Amino acid sequence: MSEFQSLRGFHDLLGEEFKRFKYVSELVRGKLKLYNFEEIVLPVVEYLEVFRRSIGEATDIVQKEMFAFQDRKGRWLALRPEGTAGAVRAYIQNRLYALKPYTKLFYEGPMFRYERPQAGRYRQFHQIGAEVFGSIDPLVDAEIIQIVYEILSELNAKVIIEINSIGCKVCRPPYKEALSTYLRTVAGHLCEVCIDRSDRNPLRVLDCKVPTCKEAVKEAPKMVDFLCNECREHYSKLKEYLTLLSIPYRENPHLVRGLDYYTKTVFEAVSEELDVALIAGGRYDYLVEEMGGPPTPAVGFAVGVERLSLLVREGLTEDPLYMLIPFGDVMDYALLVAKALRSEGKRVELSYKRAGLKKQLELANRLGAKYAVLVGEEERAGNFYTLKDMETGHQLKIELSPAM
Ligand code: AMP
């Protein structure tokens, strides 16, 4: 083993994996452009408090998964574990609320969580997230889910979009009470973490993966039965819109998400084949105000780019590669031919390997070239190049344009 290794859960993105990653990234970005989202580049490091206040003290992310550290002045900072907290901080700090009645932003970049690495789960991973600030309308929730659905459809992903409403300041407290009371009656079947959560953060017990906990909450009261009029109306309007848009969804009354800031709509797209969450999001109507901004309802989602990349299987098409093979002392001419081809928009690899024609053609094959561009003394003298189709072996003499 070499002395230098990347950290556990921190991976290099390269080769085919990178191509799939890039493909997903461009697909999502293209989609967000169609919906007129504006890009924002956020810092990777923020004050720890930004995440603690927004994501919530009692969440797994804040309690166990933060890469937090002190800077030289002893201030507590953290590598961002997700994008919404920073986006909200930026929205307030840059007074974006003063510019437009509502604001649509997206970001892309690495996120950091100290989780146990496994397939599709890293300590540094990438998200593309979109946020809409300034509208309470369920139409916005519907559009957010529509984007998610369209992205997944284009990847031919077998996924199910699960939705739920987790209420608001009015209806959640009585529900929490009812849930805590219920959880006390089944405490004997709950794992230790859930017993601890039962009072402080009872909603999280609903999505515990421990089988006995899952069984114990089956009969638990459901948030949807406790929604106030406003939340119930909001949720039913959202479902109406999803039906109108022919977006299949499943209501999951136990879907709560692991972050504290959500209100009303929460959703998650889970891959049926891989059994992992691919895209998740929801509404967070109080967060902007809680972080010092004016009252501003908001809703958003985040895509795990590595996770979605797992779904890209079909060969990705690239522009055909032209491998330029100089033979003999014709480097000057080869440089000019490469320049001419690239100026026509062609993807050109000028061979740096000094070897005979046979070896060079082997290299062209290995690099997946569609064409070899042969350039020797004869070609230079006649101001042309010989184009060889690597598959058929067919050769063609092509004159260089007079501009060269
Ligand atoms: P969250 O911010 O927890 O709502 O996660 C949003 C999406 O980010 C998930 O649906 C995953 O696709 C992705 N994600 C979250 N954690 C990780 C991780 N540790 N490694 C890779 N992707 C992740």
Side-chain angles (χ1 to χ4, degrees):
M1 193 165 93
S2 125
E3 188 182 350
F4 296 115
Q5 297 274 315
S6 68
L7 305 178
R8 194 163 126 80
F10 286 68
H11 65 302
D12 303 309
L13 273 168
L14 48 91
E16 284 303 312
E17 193 187 351
F18 176 77
K19 282 184 197 160
R20 288 197 293 268
F21 181 94
K22 196 78 192 152
Y23 176 81
V24 166
S25 163
E26 277 164 13
L27 170 69
V28 177
R29 286 171 156 275
K31 199 50 85 187
L32 289 169
K33 217 175 267 174
L34 290 182
Y35 283 78
N36 200 33
F37 279 78
E38 194 180 323
E39 184 162 11
I40 177 170
V41 179
L42 295 164
V44 170
V45 177
E46 301 267 2
Y47 286 115
L48 177 60
E49 205 47 31
V50 170
F51 304 115
R52 196 156 36 198
R53 276 294 288 282
S54 54
I55 298 167
E57 189 65 66
T59 58
D60 284 352
I61 294 184
V62 168
Q63 289 203 335
K64 314 190 283 218
E65 297 171 1
M66 294 275 263
F67 279 91
F69 57 96
Q70 281 178 290
D71 72 2
R72 287 171 190 275
K73 292 201 169 138
R75 292 171 298 204
W76 278 99
L77 313 178
L79 300 182
R80 60 181 179 191
E82 55 102 58
T84 301
V88 171
R89 198 264 313 130
Y91 175 77
I92 299 167
Q93 187 174 338
N94 296 289
R95 300 171 56 84
L96 299 183
Y97 49 83
L99 303 179
K100 293 184 214 159
Y102 62 87
T103 305
K104 293 157 74 175
L105 300 175
F106 83 93
Y107 56 81
E108 173 170 23
M111 307 294 161
F112 304 84
R113 292 185 197 173
Y114 202 94
E115 291 190 88
R116 241 169 69 83
Q118 59 185 55
R121 197 205 282 157
Y122 303 99
R123 288 181 174 169
Q124 174 178 328
F125 58 98
H126 295 76
Q127 284 186 343
I128 303 178
E131 319 284 356
V132 179
F133 295 101
S135 173
I136 188 82
D137 198 326
L139 181 93
V140 186
D141 308 47
E143 271 210 326
I144 287 284
I145 295 175
Q146 186 184 13
I147 298 172
V148 168
Y149 179 66
E150 288 179 355
I151 291 168
L152 294 165
S153 302
E154 281 184 38
L155 286 167
N156 290 320
K158 284 201 187 66
V159 291
I160 182 82
I161 297 180
E162 294 190 337
I163 63 168
N164 191 19
S165 174
I166 57 169
C168 67
K169 271 183 185 157
V170 174
C171 51
R172 204 182 316 160
Y175 171 66
K176 267 185 159 174
E177 276 292 325
L179 183 58
S180 289
T181 307
Y182 170 84
L183 291 174
R184 259 175 248 131
T185 66
V186 294
H189 304 279
L190 299 179
C191 70
E192 257 174 54
V193 184
C194 283
I195 290 175
D196 190 43
R197 281 172 178 157
S198 297
D199 288 319
R200 280 190 310 143
N201 200 1
L203 267 69
R204 285 310 309 281
V205 178
L206 295 176
D207 74 349
C208 180
K209 302 286 177 277
V210 175
T212 50
C213 295
K214 273 184 154 176
E215 193 56 38
V217 298
K218 269 195 177 148
E219 303 298 321
K222 296 182 172 69
M223 182 70 234
V224 281
D225 297 328
F226 282 72
L227 295 177
C228 62
N229 284 342
E230 186 196 307
C231 286
R232 194 176 327 112
E233 179 67 11
H234 194 274
Y235 189 43
S236 70
K237 204 74 201 158
L238 167 64
K239 289 185 283 183
E240 245 176 63
Y241 287 141
L242 294 179
T243 306
L244 176 80
L245 292 165
S246 309
I247 297 174
Y249 63 88
R250 181 163 72 202
E251 288 184 75
N252 175 358
H254 286 174
L255 181 66
V256 293
R257 311 281 303 112
L259 302 91
D260 274 1
Y261 50 62
Y262 286 118
T263 52
K264 291 191 170 67
T265 313
V266 288
F267 64 89
E268 200 164 82
V270 182
S271 160
E272 292 190 320
E273 297 151 272
L274 307 171
D275 195 28
V276 287
L278 300 168
I279 305 181
R283 186 165 267 292
Y284 47 97
D285 290 339
Y286 309 127
L287 185 56
V288 175
E289 191 176 3
E290 278 169 13
M291 290 181 72
T296 309
V299 55
F301 74 86
V303 173
V305 186
E306 284 88 350
R307 294 263 173 98
L308 271 200
S309 304
L310 296 172
L311 298 173
V312 182
R313 288 212 198 85
E314 78 270 30
L316 299 173
T317 50
E318 281 183 307
D319 292 342
L321 176 64
Y322 291 72
M323 179 88 187
L324 203 146
I325 301 176
F327 50 103
D329 184 16
V330 290
M331 289 311 155
D332 294 2
Y333 184 60
L335 275 171
L336 291 178
V337 175
K339 185 177 166 188
L341 292 176
R342 287 179 185 132
S343 74
E344 292 168 12
K346 295 189 168 76
R347 182 161 70 105
V348 179
E349 168 93 14
L350 170 55
S351 174
Y352 297 154
K353 190 176 163 74
R354 295 292 142 260
L357 189 55
K358 189 160 167 270
K359 280 253 153 63
Q360 300 258 31
L361 284 169
E362 275 169 23
L363 176 63
N365 243 333
R366 185 129 40 93
L367 297 187
K370 177 142 178 56
Y371 302 103
V373 178
L374 309 178
V375 170
E377 299 287 355
E378 193 192 331
E379 278 81 2
R380 179 169 58 183
N383 206 40
F384 70 95
Y385 60 86
T386 302
L387 186 74
K388 181 184 171 79
D389 186 315
M390 294 295 289
E391 207 175 316
T392 61
H394 189 71
Q395 293 199 174
L396 210 65
K397 290 181 178 174
I398 299 180
E399 213 178 312
L400 265 201
S401 57
M404 296 313 304

